Each structure stands twice: as structure tokens, then as C-alpha cells.
Amino acid sequence: MHDESTIIEGRNAVLEALRSDITVERIFVLKSSYDGPIHTILREAKRQGIRTDFVDKSRLDEICPDKKHQGVAAYVAAFSYSSVDDILAKSKEKGTDPFIFILDEIEDPHNLGAIIRTANMAGADGVIIPKNRAVGLTSSAVKASAGAISYVPVAKVTNLSRTIDELKEKGIWIYACDLDGESIYRTSLTGPLAIVIGNEGRGISKLVKEKCDAVVSIPTFGDIDSLNASVSCGVVAFEAVRQRLEKK
């Protein structure tokens, strides 16, 4: 899920990252390390709600090939995150209806990067991802965005369901893109809109799907189950673009 360039290791480095503007996504601690500095790191990670895994030495050595971890290592974002308010402010600044993508546990950094690139090309205001069980802005994701990350705000949220509720309160319609929905070609994709794209294998979780206003699907005629997540995002994005252009 992550790549080497997003790793920081050593007690001071991890603690400094936790106390800085760097986004720490996940921490690994050696099972037998429970001294003062480690307790400080654990306390700060808990305060910030950062996932912490207790691992054995072989796993930590695998994460840190140079083995200078001092019993702790962390994955950090390769690019800064924005907030949901930043995304909504962008649409307000443009004077257009909000157009957002919500990603439910996307795990492949190349898919994340490709979706960010699609979001930019389709004029979307931003992308929302969950804090846990999903890839973040690793260097692979940033690279796959082909520069689009500089123009598309990405917000990481603790609870997707709660975020969906908050967006609905602001008048934004939430559509889940899944196999059992109404065709996107028979669905209005204009107005304030957020499209939910699910995990590469499991699709959209039941809880998130139940929070959505409706379910839409992409008509397909092949012999396999579904499209790649980033391809699905592209198809839906540009159908929304087509409809919005027609409405003008």
C-alpha cells in the first residue's frame, strides 16, 4: 500500500513528524519497545487518532531496510491534505455546484493518483478519502496523478458515513457507483453532487452505501464483473461533464 519514500524511521524523526505539519498515516512499533520515548510517541499517536501496529523485529526490518528504526517507523504523506471545507470553498470560489469524488477504501496508489488526475480534468472540486483501510497520498499516488495533485484538494476524514451526512446537510446529493444501480445515462448528474467509488475488490461498504441518496451503475457488456476503479471514476466523471455542459 505504501512505498519506501514515504517511510521515516527513528524515535526522534517520528516524534518530530507527529509534532509538525507532516501527515503521519501509520506507525509501526517494535513489540518489545516500551521505554519513555516510545510511550511519548504512542500517546501522541493516540491523541491524533493515528493507527499504530505493534510488530516483531523482522517486520520492522522489512519496512526499514537500513535497520536504523530504533524500534519505531512511520508512513507519512508525500503531499499535504486539505479539508472538506477547502473542497467546498473551491466550488464556491468558482461559482459552480459542488462536484466531489468520495473514495471508499481504495487501496492501490495508482488508482488514487489516476482518480485525482481524472477529477482535475473533469473539473471536480476535490476528492475525499477515509483515514483507515485505504491508501493515502504516497509518492506513488502523487506520481500517478501526473501533477494534478497540485490542483485537486484531497481531504482525509475519520468517518466517511458522517462526512456523507454532513455533505447531505449542505444540499449535496450523494450517488454510490455500484453494479446494482440505475444507469448513469438515465440519471441526472447535474447540481451539487458527490460520487462514491468503492474498493477495487469489495466495492462500496454496506454502511456507506446505505448513506447514499441513490445508486448508479455503468452499463457494461463484457464477460468480467466490473471496471477498474479509476476507469469507473472516469466514465462517471465525464458523463457528469457532458450533462453539465448540456444544461448550460
Side-chain angles (χ1 to χ4, degrees):
M1 185 180 295
H2 297 267
D3 36 62
E4 287 186 19
S5 61
T6 63
I7 295 171
I8 58 172
E9 54 187 300
R11 300 176 182 190
N12 288 338
V14 172
L15 188 56
E16 286 174 8
L18 286 168
R19 292 173 171 173
S20 71
D21 293 332
I22 296 172
T23 300
V24 179
E25 300 188 318
R26 187 174 175 185
I27 294 175
F28 297 88
V29 177
L30 189 63
K31 289 179 180 178
S32 58
S33 296
Y34 295 104
D35 57 13
I38 294 295
H39 277 296
T40 301
I41 289 170
L42 292 175
R43 186 170 59 249
E44 187 63 26
K46 182 178 181 180
R47 186 184 69 81
Q48 296 184 32
I50 297 168
R51 174 179 171 180
T52 301
D53 293 343
F54 295 92
V55 298
D56 56 29
K57 187 174 184 299
S58 62
R59 174 60 175 141
L60 205 52
D61 288 346
E62 179 186 345
I63 295 167
C64 307
D66 60 11
K67 299 178 176 59
K68 295 179 180 179
H69 49 70
Q70 298 176 307
V72 62
Y75 284 131
V76 300
F79 207 88
S80 297
Y81 289 98
S82 300
S83 68
V84 175
D85 285 342
D86 292 331
I87 292 173
L88 295 174
K90 185 174 181 181
S91 67
K92 186 175 182 180
E93 182 181 330
K94 292 191 301 183
T96 57
D97 289 324
F99 182 22
I100 301 166
F101 284 99
I102 299 173
L103 310 185
D104 187 12
E105 298 184 11
I106 293 293
E107 296 177 332
D108 185 343
H110 298 94
N111 272 338
L112 175 58
I115 289 170
I116 292 169
R117 186 176 185 179
T118 294
N120 176 248
M121 295 301 291
D125 300 301
V127 174
I128 298 173
I129 64 175
K131 188 171 187 178
N132 297 315
R133 298 184 297 278
V135 69
L137 292 178
T138 66
S139 59
S140 289
V142 170
K143 184 176 180 181
S145 79
I149 187 62
S150 297
Y151 306 98
V152 178
V154 177
K156 176 180 278 193
V157 299
T158 303
N159 189 307
L160 274 187
S161 295
R162 187 182 306 129
T163 299
I164 287 172
D165 283 339
E166 292 169 354
L167 291 174
K168 288 166 73 173
E169 289 173 2
K170 297 178 185 295
I172 298 172
W173 286 80
I174 315 293
Y175 287 174
C177 184
D178 210 355
L179 296 173
D180 59 350
E182 179 73 11
S183 168
I184 58 170
Y185 304 118
R186 293 197 296 267
T187 304
S188 174
L189 300 176
T190 59
L193 177 70
I195 299 290
V196 182
I197 303 293
N199 173 271
E200 292 89 347
R202 300 182 299 276
I204 299 172
S205 66
K206 182 180 178 181
L207 182 59
V208 168
K209 194 173 179 180
E210 288 174 348
K211 289 285 184 178
C212 296
D213 293 300
V215 181
V216 297
S217 66
I218 300 168
T220 57
F221 305 94
D223 300 309
I224 58 175
D225 289 340
S226 62
L227 294 167
N228 170 278
S230 62
V231 173
S232 294
C233 179
V235 173
V236 178
F238 282 96
E239 172 58 16
V241 169
R242 183 191 69 77
Q243 293 186 22
R244 286 161 186 258
L245 287 174
E246 282 189 353
K247 191 177 179 181
K248 285 185 176 180

